[in-house]
C-alpha cells in the first residue's frame, strides 16, 4: 500500500498527551478508510507535526484527519523511502 | 539523543537512485557530527523530502546536509513521537 507523509502547521504548544490523543482518535476510525497510521513526530515549538501512514490515497488520509478534528495542511505521497 | 525531522522543498523529480545516493553520502560522514540518519521519504511530484535523524542539534544535522550538497530548508526538533 502507498505511504503518505502528512503535515500539520499550526500545532504550537502541542503536548505529548494531546499528540497521543489525536493519534489514538485517528487509529480508532482509520480502518473505515483503509488507512494505517504508523508514527507521528511533533515539534511543539514551531507547531509542525508529521504523520506517516499507509493508505489507499491522500484523500483517505485527509478524511480520517478531518473527521477527528485535525485536518492536515499537506498530504504527500512518499513513494521513495530509504 | 534528540530526534529531528528535516525537510527539503525543491527535489522535484528526484529518483530512487538519487535519494539513495544522497542518503549514503550523509551516512558516510554523519559520525563526524554525531548524527544518525534513520529514514528519508520523498515525494518526487512535489519535491518534498523528509529525513528523520537522531542528532546532538539541528545545526549538526544541517552541517552534514550542507557538506553533502543538499542543505535542508527546515530542520525541526521533534521531541514528541507516537
Amino acid at each position: 500500500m502507498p505511504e503518505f507523509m502528512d503535515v500539520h502547521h499550526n500545532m504550537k504548544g502541542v503536548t505529548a498527551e494531546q499528540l497521543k490523543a489525536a493519534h489514538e482518535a485517528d487509529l480508532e476510525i482509520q480502518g473505515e478508510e483503509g488507512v494505517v497510521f504508523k508514527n507521528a513526530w511533533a515539534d511543539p515549538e514551531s507547531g509542525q507535526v508529521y504523520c506517516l501512514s499507509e493508505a489507499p490515497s491522500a484523500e483517505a488520509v485527509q478524511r480520517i484527519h478531518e473527521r477527528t478534528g485535525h485536518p492536515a495542511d499537506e498530504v504527500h505521497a512518499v513513494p521513495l523511502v530509504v
Side-chain angles (χ1 to χ4, degrees), chain A:
Chain A
M1 199 151 56
E3 282 196 302
F4 295 86
M5 186 73 83
D6 69 78
V7 189
H8 306 255
H9 294 168
N10 298 300
M11 296 185 75
K12 253 183 207 173
V14 63
T15 66
E17 292 68 28
Q18 288 167 338
L19 183 69
K20 188 164 175 270
H23 187 60
E24 283 175 0
D26 289 336
L27 296 186
E28 259 177 45
I29 62 166
Q30 66 182 6
E32 296 172 30
E33 294 280 358
V35 178
V36 180
F37 284 102
K38 298 164 89 171
N39 287 103
W41 296 269
D43 175 9
E45 205 176 301
S46 70
Q48 302 280 306
V49 177
Y50 304 92
C51 302
L52 182 67
S53 62
E54 291 184 359
S57 68
E59 292 72 22
V61 172
Q62 185 64 298
R63 281 193 292 268
I64 296 295
H65 275 337
E66 280 173 354
R67 287 175 55 195
T68 53
H70 44 261
D73 297 294
E74 305 173 45
V75 185
H76 295 286
V78 284
L80 306 184
V81 183
V82 291

